[in-house]
Amino acid sequence: MNETTENDGVSRIERFRLAIATFIDERRVAKLKGREDDAAAAAKYEYDTWLADAARRVGQIQAVTHVLKASHPDARGTSLYIPPQTLPQHDEIGSHSLADDFAEDVVGNAAALDVFKFLKVEVEGRSLLEWVKARDADLLQALHADEAIAQSRMDAFGNLVRSGTFSSHALAKQVYWLTQGNAATDDNFHLLQPLFSSALAHRVHADIQSARFGEENRDVRAAVRTKQADTRVYRDYRNLAVRKMGGTKPQNISQLNSERGGANYLLPSLPPNWSQQRPPNLLGLESSTERFTFFAGVRPLVRELARLVLSKRSKTMETRQEREALEQRLGAKLPFFAAAIHSQLSPGWTRDDRCELSLCECLWLDPERLTLAPRPLGEGGEEDQAFVEAYHWGDWPDQVAGIFASWLNDQLRRAGATAVGDSEYRHWARQAIIDAAWPVPMQRRAPEERA
């Protein structure tokens, strides 16, 4: 056989030998810690001795993608090795979604799992198992100088991926599936045995672990928590459950299950929480505050502010800061309310004859009306012209702030805070945040309160 030599002068055979010897030596150090002087035990980790033993023990394990014992640890039957790229393709996520990028699992005698770890050792970017499947000539020579012995070892290691007679077991999960005709006839059923896709579970586990503990997602989570801007994607898996398989010996289920510590995440299988929100109807209303009162999060803030206003707590710095925070949170609800209206109603909805809102509220809640072609004169064109002129005049945000202030005073009076008046009205108006298309003061100066 010809020996391939790399540019650095090291032959591929030597590369394979070095990778194999390094793995064996690491096993020896780990297993003989504290017993370094035990010559008999150390002899088992001689290069050729260990390879011969590994080739013998590899028959005790099997490479798989779908694990039977995940259904029940005492199930006896067939696990399968089905490369995901060979499966039928579907739109739904499944094992087929992994294509050729998947982790191979191993089942069998846990005492022989070190052989699988050995076959996962990489040389030139590919595992020894892949080189075995390719019947690599240089690896063959690295296994033994005698070609016959080397061939037998390569055959043994290649037999890690094998198929045999399929069999099920009483402890395996099974489903009777009606294929045709009358359900009362036994012959019309197929007995199916769903198998746990260890390859898919391992990929899901890795993604969830990355989302929960990965450095990048941790940094983005901190930005979310502190409300800092960040352009990176934030991933979060909620309402997870964990199924532990194998108890204190997860390796008895499979190698990948052992690597996961027996943990297998379960995503929530729950009915959707349908939103009952419909586009708000503002037609026929004199003020949009009738809808704003019931906007998400508004009523709890009003109740909390009323409680604070009615309380007899001394006006300490802490009390003032708490009250100011509530006021600002209420004022900050206004642009969100406006944005919801903008997104749910078509531009120009305020042209409807049933719209009874004040002009300033129409300007605030239907600004895209300016992008529409004006109607002919006599058919609403005068109103469209007045709308454009009022928008660009620019005093409407202060008028909206005044409406907000009057609404909040009214809400507090209904809660029993009868002492609120003009000073509170002007204070509430300054908390209102009204979006406009040009630079305007964020603190609004509202007109005198309407009676």
Side-chain angles (χ1 to χ4, degrees):
M1 296 182 182
N2 295 325
E3 181 177 334
T4 305
T5 303
E6 302 295 330
N7 294 333
D8 57 4
V10 179
S11 70
R12 290 186 74 249
I13 296 176
E14 291 172 337
R15 289 183 185 278
F16 281 117
R17 285 185 179 277
L18 178 60
I20 294 171
T22 299
F23 176 84
I24 295 173
D25 191 58
E26 289 174 352
R27 293 289 299 175
R28 179 186 59 78
V29 171
K31 290 294 184 180
L32 300 185
K33 188 175 183 180
R35 299 187 298 131
E36 290 80 359
D37 297 333
D38 190 338
K44 297 178 181 179
Y45 294 92
E46 294 293 335
Y47 185 94
D48 191 63
T49 303
W50 191 90
L51 276 179
D53 183 60
R56 177 185 59 79
R57 292 186 295 125
V58 72
Q60 302 173 17
I61 57 177
Q62 176 189 357
V64 299
T65 55
H66 295 71
V67 178
L68 173 67
K69 285 184 176 289
S71 299
H72 194 287
D74 291 329
R76 301 287 186 269
T78 306
S79 295
L80 298 180
Y81 184 89
I82 308 292
Q85 65 269 28
T86 66
L87 292 169
Q89 298 300 302
H90 303 285
D91 292 335
E92 297 81 8
I93 293 176
S95 301
H96 60 278
S97 306
L98 301 175
D100 58 354
D101 182 19
F102 67 99
E104 294 174 319
D105 204 351
V106 168
V107 297
N109 185 0
L113 289 178
D114 61 310
V115 182
F116 178 60
K117 293 179 181 178
F118 161 68
L119 292 173
K120 289 175 68 177
V121 170
E122 290 193 355
V123 176
E124 298 180 353
R126 299 176 67 184
S127 70
L128 291 179
L129 181 58
E130 290 179 273
W131 291 121
V132 166
K133 293 177 183 177
R135 309 296 294 185
D136 186 87
D138 292 332
L139 172 58
L140 184 68
Q141 293 189 58
L143 293 178
H144 200 276
D146 185 301
E147 185 175 351
I149 296 176
Q151 288 284 5
S152 67
R153 289 178 181 178
M154 184 168 279
D155 291 342
F157 292 138
N159 197 40
L160 180 69
V161 179
R162 61 183 181 273
S163 60
T165 303
F166 297 147
S167 63
S168 185
H169 190 266
L171 295 177
K173 297 190 187 310
Q174 299 177 354
V175 178
Y176 281 99
W177 190 264
L178 181 64
T179 57
Q180 61 182 356
N182 188 353
T185 304
D186 292 347
D187 292 342
N188 291 336
F189 286 88
H190 281 173
L191 182 58
L192 305 181
Q193 179 185 302
L195 284 178
F196 178 81
S197 176
S198 183
L200 180 61
H202 203 66
R203 173 69 66 81
V204 170
H205 184 273
D207 194 73
I208 293 176
Q209 288 293 95
S210 175
R212 297 182 68 186
F213 308 111
E215 183 175 344
E216 179 175 339
N217 213 51
R218 181 192 62 200
D219 294 341
V220 180
R221 185 185 299 112
V224 172
R225 186 168 54 250
T226 57
K227 298 182 179 179
Q228 300 295 316
D230 198 300
T231 59
R232 292 172 294 181
V233 174
Y234 173 59
R235 296 176 295 124
D236 187 18
Y237 292 89
R238 301 182 179 181
N239 301 320
L240 292 172
V242 179
R243 178 193 177 200
K244 298 286 285 187
M245 295 195 301
T248 59
K249 297 181 178 179
Q251 67 273 17
N252 287 343
I253 303 298
S254 74
Q255 170 64 24
L256 292 184
N257 185 67
S258 179
E259 292 180 15
R260 297 190 297 269
N264 292 270
Y265 288 113
L266 301 178
L267 301 176
S269 180
L270 302 170
N273 185 14
W274 296 109
S275 172
Q276 298 298 320
Q277 287 187 342
R278 291 174 292 180
N281 182 11
L282 298 176
L283 301 178
L285 301 180
E286 294 184 358
S287 174
S288 62
T289 55
E290 295 185 40
R291 293 288 182 264
F292 179 70
T293 302
F294 299 97
F295 187 64
V298 169
R299 284 186 292 175
L301 288 174
V302 172
R303 286 196 296 267
E304 188 64 18
L305 181 59
R307 181 194 62 78
L308 200 58
V309 170
L310 290 168
S311 69
K312 297 181 180 180
R313 292 167 54 180
S314 57
K315 295 183 179 180
T316 62
M317 177 64 73
E318 182 181 354
T319 302
R320 287 195 295 271
Q321 289 176 343
E322 183 179 354
R323 176 170 167 170
E324 183 176 297
L326 288 169
E327 296 163 356
Q328 291 174 348
R329 289 170 64 189
L330 260 176
K333 287 289 182 181
L334 290 168
F336 289 103
F337 174 70
I341 301 299
H342 298 166
S343 66
Q344 296 180 47
L345 297 181
S346 301
W349 63 269
T350 53
R351 286 178 171 180
D352 195 299
D353 292 338
R354 293 169 294 171
C355 180
E356 300 178 13
L357 299 180
S358 59
L359 179 58
C360 68
E361 290 184 85
C362 292
L363 294 166
W364 176 44
L365 299 175
D366 190 19
E368 292 299 309
R369 176 176 166 179
L370 275 73
T371 65
L372 302 179
R375 293 169 290 182
L377 296 178
E379 298 179 13
E382 297 85 355
E383 294 178 8
D384 292 343
Q385 184 177 352
F387 187 93
V388 173
E389 293 175 353
Y391 190 90
H392 291 294
W393 181 253
D395 62 346
W396 59 267
D398 289 341
Q399 295 173 13
V400 174
I403 292 174
F404 167 74
S406 296
W407 166 82
L408 185 51
N409 260 359
D410 184 56
Q411 294 292 312
L412 295 175
R413 286 172 185 147
R414 290 183 182 183
T418 56
V420 295
D422 290 346
S423 61
E424 286 78 13
Y425 166 81
R426 288 188 290 272
H427 179 71
W428 308 141
R430 286 195 295 271
Q431 310 306 319
I433 300 177
I434 312 298
D435 289 337
W438 62 90
V440 291
M442 293 301 288
Q443 289 191 327
R444 302 296 174 188
R445 295 182 298 277
E448 292 298 320
E449 183 175 13
R450 297 169 292 181

